[in-house]
Amino acid sequence: MNRVGLAVAFITSLAVLSFAQARETYADLPGVRLWYKDSGGGGVAVVFLHSNTGSSRNWDYQIPVFTAAGFRFIAYDRRGWGRSVTAPGAQPGTAADDLHALMKYLGIDRFHLVATAGGGFVALDYALSFPDPPRSLVIANSIGGVQDEDYLELGRRLRPPQFDALPPELRELGPSYRASDPEGTKRWIELERMSRQNGATAQAFRNRMTFSMLEAIKVRTLLITGDADLYAPPPLLRLFTARIKNSESMIIPGAGHSGYWEQPEIFNRAVLDFIRKN
């Protein structure tokens, strides 16, 4: 096994140890049983929202780092993903409401919120929807769900129909990562294939997201992308930084659309530094 493979195995073993005493179970909420992981303890909670090509399983590289830093790590499978179970005949509701209900179920009032890609849509919708915002907000590698027509046109130029026809790993993992870490790429593909539930109904948003609406976000926000992200390249990130007033940004070198997975050391350090300030 090469050095990268050994590192992956070591981090995975730490993740298993970190959750040896943790809770992995279902929260029975209105219309859904959400599968969640909770490290417990008395630390400040950090909640992780997965991408549309992942589930709570994808946060293995974050679990040991954030728990070792003294935070309460929480991740869950959004409705329609992973092991969460939607009640027969239930209305899909909104993902922001599901998050709010889960926090009430766990007795958590304030928390840091870390989201990647499609999870970023939920995080922004949540931050705009509830009077008690997160302690801080991290949005990584996300196009944000913004519906302004000029922004949608930009998306069509960046991602024509031929782009959508590509396999997920070509769209979402940078070429540097695919070249240097075949085992990590294989594992990402495995997790992607078991993530989205067949026939799951898409959830609506509480807000129709526009750039003008983003100006209402007051919580401190860290925006992250990779310099090889085909969905959210650095110029797109600057559009969000200009609208979210209390924000800062960073670019992960060599990373594609899955910075948390491709460059976890850089991602984890940046997020920890940011939330410690907030």
Side-chain angles (χ1 to χ4, degrees):
M1 185 180 293
N2 61 23
R3 186 175 64 180
V4 173
L6 286 170
V8 170
F10 177 67
I11 291 172
T12 302
S13 67
L14 282 178
V16 172
L17 290 172
S18 295
F19 269 96
Q21 303 300 320
R23 189 173 201 178
E24 295 187 70
T25 187
Y26 289 100
D28 289 308
L29 305 176
V32 67
R33 301 183 73 213
L34 285 186
W35 176 267
Y36 72 96
K37 302 179 179 184
D38 181 0
S39 68
V44 173
V46 185
V47 179
F48 290 78
L49 291 175
H50 62 78
S51 68
N52 290 350
T53 49
S55 69
S56 60
R57 293 181 173 99
N58 285 67
W59 297 112
D60 279 356
Y61 297 153
Q62 284 65 53
I63 292 169
V65 176
F66 283 81
T67 53
F71 291 98
R72 180 178 176 180
F73 180 99
I74 298 170
Y76 68 98
D77 293 344
R78 292 191 279 126
R79 190 184 303 219
W81 277 268
R83 288 164 283 186
S84 289
V85 180
T86 302
Q91 294 300 310
T94 75
D97 283 311
D98 283 350
L99 171 57
H100 187 64
L102 179 62
M103 293 299 99
K104 295 301 180 186
Y105 178 89
L106 296 175
I108 297 171
D109 294 323
R110 298 294 306 283
F111 55 93
H112 299 284
L113 186 54
V114 179
T116 185
F121 296 25
V122 181
L124 291 171
D125 197 33
Y126 181 89
L128 288 166
S129 297
F130 294 98
D132 293 325
R135 292 174 181 265
S136 71
L137 193 60
V138 178
I139 307 293
N141 302 99
S142 184
I143 59 175
V146 171
Q147 297 299 303
D148 296 88
E149 182 52 41
D150 55 350
Y151 181 74
L152 294 175
E153 174 56 30
L154 170 60
R156 288 189 285 269
R157 296 200 306 272
L158 287 173
R159 299 176 298 276
Q162 299 92 324
F163 177 83
D164 292 333
L166 292 172
E169 64 271 22
L170 296 187
R171 289 185 271 117
E172 301 207 11
L173 295 175
S176 295
Y177 180 77
R178 286 184 278 112
S180 64
D181 196 336
E183 289 302 315
T185 300
K186 180 181 177 181
R187 178 59 177 160
W188 187 94
I189 293 171
E190 290 173 350
L191 294 178
E192 188 278 328
R193 288 176 178 171
M194 65 175 69
S195 61
R196 189 73 166 117
Q197 298 171 7
N198 291 332
T201 302
Q203 290 185 289
F205 297 101
R206 290 174 61 98
N207 301 279
R208 185 180 184 277
M209 200 69 62
T210 64
F211 277 118
S212 62
M213 284 199 69
L214 295 180
E215 295 178 358
I217 294 176
K218 305 301 182 185
V219 64
R220 287 185 61 84
T221 302
L222 173 62
L223 300 161
I224 302 174
T225 197
D227 63 5
D229 190 335
L230 298 178
Y231 277 94
L236 186 146
L237 189 71
R238 290 193 284 271
L239 298 177
F240 287 83
T241 307
R243 292 292 189 154
I244 301 176
K245 301 304 182 185
N246 205 12
S247 68
E248 56 190 85
S249 64
M250 70 163 294
I251 297 169
I252 301 178
H257 194 57
S258 302
Y260 72 96
W261 183 271
E262 299 173 59
Q263 298 277 5
E265 298 87 358
I266 296 175
F267 179 91
N268 293 341
R269 184 170 60 249
V271 174
L272 280 172
D273 289 345
F274 178 74
I275 65 177
R276 281 170 172 154
K277 294 187 298 185
N278 297 280

